[in-house]
Amino acid sequence: MPVFYGEIIESPMLLGTSLYPSPAIMAEAVRASACDIVTVSLRRESGSARAGQDFWGFIRDLGVRVLPNTAGCHSVREAVTTAKMAREVFGTPWIKLEVINDAETLAPDVFGLVEAARILSGEGFQVFPYCTEDLGVAERLVEAGCEVLMPWGAPIGSARGLNNVYGLRSLRAHFPDIPLVVDAGLGVPSHAAAAMELGYDAVLLNTAVAKAGDPVAMARAFAQAAEAGRLAFTAGAMEPRDMAAPSTPVLGKAFLE
């Protein structure tokens, strides 16, 4: 089970709360996923006008831990300001840190991300950075105070799965003691299973569940896939081979002349 900043997490799945057909369906999907953590984006105007507080209250009633998100922020200043408002609204030092570089791919601005992570860590935040699988960036995020890393599988909402399996595997090997969460790009449950089979601690997704024909059933499917992947990793999967290996022993086989 992953441990995020000293908190033991039972479920290997984190779920986003946007894009659902209704709040009621979102709540059912969260329950079906059996997740411990949901992510919630915070609009900047919420800090002063308290807009959307009914929704925040609705989320808290689900009985899961809230991970506020700086989604939509394109600069260090935006991200830091949004994080501070999120801490005020939700009363948590946790923050999923996004600093977006490109509007088309929603790729992280890794330079701004490291800077914002350093600022927020210095102010007592426990930062969950949405990053790439680049080892150099990951090292700088850890140096900046991040105790969890959240590399993307593919661009947000793309449903492309794990675009760089080699990079994700290398990141896992390089940081054996850092909790790692594949965040973004997962489209089907098998993507979640594949991430967990690499040894990742959890997966975070939103669009694949919220935009499914049946979000509740899809949430359940992802939860089961993530759990299956975790069990497969801990069980110790066999290594792939180039040649066939018989599963039936030849001892006792009849030989005809």
Side-chain angles (χ1 to χ4, degrees):
M1 292 180 288
V3 178
F4 297 155
Y5 291 100
E7 297 286 340
I8 298 174
I9 307 302
E10 298 285 344
S11 172
M13 180 173 163
L14 289 70
L15 192 61
T17 55
S18 65
L19 303 176
Y20 290 86
S22 71
I25 291 176
M26 181 272 291
E28 288 184 48
V30 170
R31 295 187 185 100
S33 74
C35 68
D36 297 322
I37 301 169
V38 297
T39 61
V40 179
S41 62
L42 183 73
R43 299 296 182 183
R44 283 173 293 178
E45 62 267 26
S46 179
S48 58
R50 295 290 180 179
Q53 290 305 296
D54 289 344
F55 182 73
W56 310 145
F58 183 84
I59 293 293
R60 284 192 290 266
D61 288 343
L62 292 174
V64 294
R65 183 141 191 174
V66 174
L67 176 59
N69 191 348
T70 65
C73 293
H74 289 257
S75 71
V76 172
R77 182 179 179 183
E78 274 188 302
V80 170
T81 301
T82 301
K84 290 179 179 179
M85 290 192 294
R87 181 164 61 180
E88 179 182 342
V89 170
F90 293 107
T92 177
W94 281 15
I95 190 71
K96 181 192 170 189
L97 179 61
E98 292 186 22
V99 184
I100 301 300
N101 174 62
D102 179 68
E104 293 296 323
T105 64
L106 299 180
D109 172 358
V110 295
F111 301 102
L113 183 67
V114 172
E115 182 181 351
R118 183 172 290 110
I119 293 170
L120 292 172
S121 295
E123 297 193 15
F125 282 88
Q126 295 172 337
V127 181
F128 295 68
Y130 162 65
C131 58
T132 65
E133 68 279 13
D134 183 274
L135 290 177
V137 173
E139 285 179 343
R140 283 159 178 77
L141 287 168
V142 172
E143 291 169 1
C146 298
E147 297 182 14
V148 178
L149 297 174
M150 305 181 76
W152 64 350
I156 295 170
S158 67
R160 303 295 297 179
L162 308 182
N163 276 355
N164 184 1
V165 173
Y166 170 80
L168 292 170
R169 184 182 291 116
S170 297
L171 195 67
R172 176 72 285 174
H174 195 75
F175 294 101
D177 300 321
I178 298 290
L180 299 179
V181 181
V182 170
D183 175 15
L186 305 184
V188 291
S190 59
H191 294 159
M196 298 300 296
E197 287 168 6
L198 291 177
Y200 275 67
D201 297 281
V203 294
L204 194 164
L205 58 141
N206 188 165
T207 310
V209 170
K211 289 295 187 179
D214 185 341
V216 178
M218 188 61 77
R220 187 175 296 112
F222 265 101
Q224 292 174 355
E227 185 61 35
R230 178 162 68 177
L231 288 172
F233 176 75
T234 57
M238 64 178 290
E239 293 294 327
R241 297 168 53 96
D242 292 327
M243 302 297 291
S247 58
T248 303
V250 296
L251 185 65
K253 177 182 177 181
F255 288 93
L256 304 178
E257 295 185 359

